[in-house]
Amino acid sequence: MNNTTLTKTNGQGKMEMLFQAFNTFNETALKLNEYYQGLEQQVKSLNIELERKNRELEKNLEEKEQVKNYLHNILESLSTGVLVLDIKGRVTTRNRAFQKITNGRIKEVKDFISRQVGETKSGYLELKGKARNGCVLRLKRFPLIAANQETKGTVITLEDITRLKRLEEQVSRNSRLEAMGEMAVNIAHEIRNPLGSIELFASLLKRDFSKGDERRKLVEHIISGVKSLNQVISNTLLFTHTLIPNFQKVNLSSLLDEALVFSSHIVKENRIKVSKEYSPKNFLLLYADSALLKQLFLNLILNAVQAMPDGGYLKIATAVIRETIDNGNGRVQSEMLEIKIADTGMGMNRAVREKVFDPFFTTRQGGTGLGLTIAHRIIEAHGGTIGVESQPRKGTTFTLGLPLQSEKKTAETQRHRDIENGPKPDHR
Ligand SMILES: Nc1ncnc2c1ncn2[C@@H]1O[C@H](COP(=O)(O)OP(=O)(O)OP(=O)(O)O)[C@@H](O)[C@H]1O
Ligand SMILES: [Mg+2]
């Protein structure tokens, strides 16, 4: 009986234990499930967070790339060359302008920096060699400082200042020329007065010698020399000054005659025959600066004479050219005064002819090359024209055109008045 009871009891206990164990298992399984679900939720939110972080990172990278490109573009757009060296002197960055300015000659630049720009912060490098020879570069050196204030290398900037240098040189050359011009003007003025006295005393002396006397010839040489010196001085003074003509009534024929008288000695000396074809014959009034026009005629006559060292013919002709032109408001009569100064001298070839009006162009020993430059400036100041025709060994003709317009009426009235009163020689 006991055994049966025991067995029953044991069987019941086992069942209970099993039941309990089952219950515990169920409870644990439930807990596990809950826990699993919690974990799943966490993983999900972690994934979302990761994705967000990823997106942020991508955006950051993109922005960084954009900033990098932006800075690169700025660097490449600069006309200033930029070279960056690390602490060991190795090139880490260089922009397009640097490459262009130096023509890739980094070693030359680096050597120059270590030699010259070491202590000072800037220097000038003049490139030598085939490419970019003579180019002047301005170099500046800056330390490359990191955010933590550590020096990480060197930044070098490079500017091509060749044009600036040339301009600076030109400015200083111009101011030197200006100073020289001023000095020349002062000297010219100083020389002029004693020259005037020499000419005056030589002319007085000439009177003391009879025509056949050798000494008279020597005195004539002095006078002629003084005159040509005077001519050089006048040209120099005119070249250094701005020309502002003093317009007055001028009788062209007598002006031309005065210029001929002035050069008569050298004309005679070179055995030159002069012919005049003035039209109108004695009187042609125009508004002009008489001193300037006389200088212009003298320069042309002297050139003609100098072109005929073995003699020849010098012809001076004037004419009034009338033409009908359309001035926009209809057809009007225009009058030009034409003056021709022609010689039968050595003439010029084309190369010379093209340069004759250039300042300081001369083929003549002792010539300054200013005569025709001044002539050109004088004629321009009068609103006129100057042209040249020439053939080697045949001769040269200079043609001047002067307007006879704005003051024409006054000039004509005066001309009529003068003609009525009879011509008076014009002594200026
Ligand atoms: N009538 C001419 N016949 C031939 N050559 C001429 C004549 N006129 C000018 N030339 C040429 O033009 C050049 C320039 O003339 P320009 O009068 O300007 O200077 P220059 O006579 O040489 O010197 P200067 O300043 O003393 O007058 C002369 O050197 C000469 O070669
Ligand atoms: Mg001359």
Side-chain angles (χ1 to χ4, degrees):
M1 189 201 118
N2 273 348
N3 268 354
T4 317
T5 316
L6 255 174
T7 315
K8 247 188 190 173
T9 316
N10 275 353
Q12 248 178 0
K14 274 181 189 165
M15 273 295 281
E16 252 168 49
M17 274 165 70
L18 196 67
F19 189 68
Q20 260 179 9
F22 188 70
N23 270 350
T24 315
F25 173 76
N26 253 355
E27 268 170 31
T28 315
L30 253 170
K31 269 189 193 156
L32 263 175
N33 197 23
E34 259 173 40
Y35 190 62
Y36 175 75
Q37 272 180 358
L39 266 180
E40 221 177 29
Q41 198 61 36
Q42 261 185 3
V43 168
K44 244 188 208 165
S45 62
L46 271 177
N47 265 345
I48 291 170
E49 179 71 2
L50 204 77
E51 246 172 56
R52 200 179 58 83
K53 286 270 178 220
N54 263 347
R55 273 201 308 274
E56 244 172 47
L57 235 117
E58 255 172 40
K59 203 173 150 215
N60 268 352
L61 260 173
E62 213 173 278
E63 273 173 11
K64 277 210 172 115
E65 192 64 25
Q66 271 177 5
V67 171
K68 196 179 139 198
N69 281 343
Y70 184 62
L71 289 176
H72 177 79
N73 289 344
I74 291 178
L75 211 61
E76 289 299 288
S77 310
L78 286 176
S79 60
T80 303
V82 178
L83 178 78
V84 184
L85 304 175
D86 67 10
I87 206 81
K88 289 191 172 151
R90 286 173 302 211
V91 176
T92 57
T93 311
R94 65 168 174 240
N95 69 350
R96 202 182 304 153
F98 185 90
Q99 188 72 10
K100 195 173 152 208
I101 292 172
T102 59
N103 201 36
R105 286 141 75 173
I106 291 191
K107 192 176 172 310
E108 210 170 312
V109 174
K110 277 169 76 179
D111 285 351
F112 178 77
I113 291 162
S114 49
R115 259 186 296 120
Q116 306 271 330
V117 199
E119 287 306 305
T120 58
K121 287 192 170 56
S122 62
Y124 296 93
L125 165 66
E126 191 170 335
L127 293 177
K128 298 267 181 300
K130 245 189 206 164
R132 314 223 70 226
N133 189 27
C135 286
V136 185
L137 313 179
R138 179 166 48 207
L139 275 118
K140 282 190 186 155
R141 200 179 57 104
F142 308 90
L144 176 65
I145 314 250
N148 60 2
Q149 298 305 309
E150 240 180 79
T151 305
K152 293 282 185 191
T154 314
V155 181
I156 290 141
T157 62
L158 205 58
E159 281 168 283
D160 187 347
I161 53 156
T162 317
R163 240 177 74 80
L164 194 74
K165 265 260 155 324
R166 302 268 181 280
L167 282 175
E168 271 174 16
E169 277 166 17
Q170 201 172 317
V171 167
S172 92
R173 208 179 309 134
N174 281 354
S175 59
R176 273 204 314 275
L177 271 178
E178 213 173 282
M180 274 164 66
E182 240 171 69
M183 203 173 73
V185 169
N186 289 338
I187 294 174
H189 280 302
E190 290 296 316
I191 293 175
R192 224 175 202 178
N193 292 339
L195 267 187
S197 315
I198 295 173
E199 193 182 347
L200 175 72
F201 294 132
S203 310
L204 292 176
L205 195 62
K206 188 177 149 187
R207 286 197 211 155
D208 292 348
F209 303 118
S210 56
K211 275 210 170 144
D213 197 326
E214 267 304 304
R215 286 172 296 178
R216 188 178 164 110
K217 277 204 183 122
L218 294 178
V219 175
E220 277 173 350
H221 279 309
I222 295 174
I223 297 171
S224 156
V226 167
K227 278 184 172 158
S228 69
L229 265 179
N230 236 325
Q231 187 71 0
V232 172
I233 290 170
S234 303
N235 277 341
T236 314
L237 288 175
L238 283 175
F239 186 68
T240 46
H241 278 140
T242 328
L243 287 191
I244 304 165
N246 175 19
F247 286 98
Q248 279 170 348
K249 259 180 287 158
V250 169
N251 180 5
L252 182 77
S253 313
S254 29
L255 254 193
L256 283 165
D257 284 347
E258 272 179 50
L260 276 172
V261 169
F262 200 84
S263 42
S264 59
H265 182 74
I266 176 166
V267 166
K268 228 187 282 165
E269 208 175 53
N270 283 21
R271 296 181 308 283
I272 290 162
K273 293 209 163 60
V274 180
S275 66
K276 297 191 281 184
E277 283 178 20
Y278 297 165
S279 166
K281 213 167 177 197
N282 299 318
F283 239 75
L284 184 51
L285 280 181
L286 78 150
Y287 269 80
D289 184 313
S290 60
L292 289 181
L293 277 197
K294 197 166 135 191
Q295 183 77 29
L296 160 72
F297 298 146
L298 263 173
N299 284 354
L300 295 178
I301 292 171
L302 283 180
N303 276 354
V305 172
Q306 283 154 356
M308 299 186 284
D310 305 318
Y313 292 90
L314 170 69
K315 188 168 104 178
I316 301 183
T318 65
V320 176
I321 312 281
R322 288 183 180 89
E323 52 183 15
T324 316
I325 54 157
D326 198 335
N327 68 357
N329 296 322
R331 293 172 74 75
V332 288
Q333 278 268 318
S334 141
E335 282 188 339
M336 279 297 279
L337 182 61
E338 194 181 75
I339 305 151
K340 282 187 184 282
I341 299 182
D343 66 65
T344 54
M346 59 178 76
M348 296 172 246
N349 61 25
R350 199 174 151 185
V352 172
R353 202 175 61 234
E354 280 172 0
K355 290 203 204 94
V356 287
F357 296 109
D358 291 356
F360 306 110
F361 173 79
T362 180
T363 57
R364 220 164 42 75
Q365 184 136 31
T368 59
L370 285 180
L372 287 178
T373 311
I374 302 293
H376 194 268
R377 284 182 64 190
I378 293 175
I379 205 87
E380 251 186 355
H382 282 82
T385 55
I386 182 166
V388 56
E389 290 159 83
S390 186
Q391 271 193 333
R393 292 177 300 280
K394 291 241 165 87
T396 305
T397 303
F398 278 91
T399 307
L400 309 173
L402 280 170
L404 263 180
Q405 309 153 348
S406 52
E407 310 293 344
K408 192 188 97 194
K409 284 227 159 69
T410 336
E412 254 175 13
T413 323
Q414 184 62 37
R415 181 161 51 201
H416 287 141
R417 202 175 298 145
D418 285 336
I419 289 167
E420 271 164 28
N421 297 339
K424 275 186 237 124
D426 193 352
H427 292 301
R428 260 176 303 271

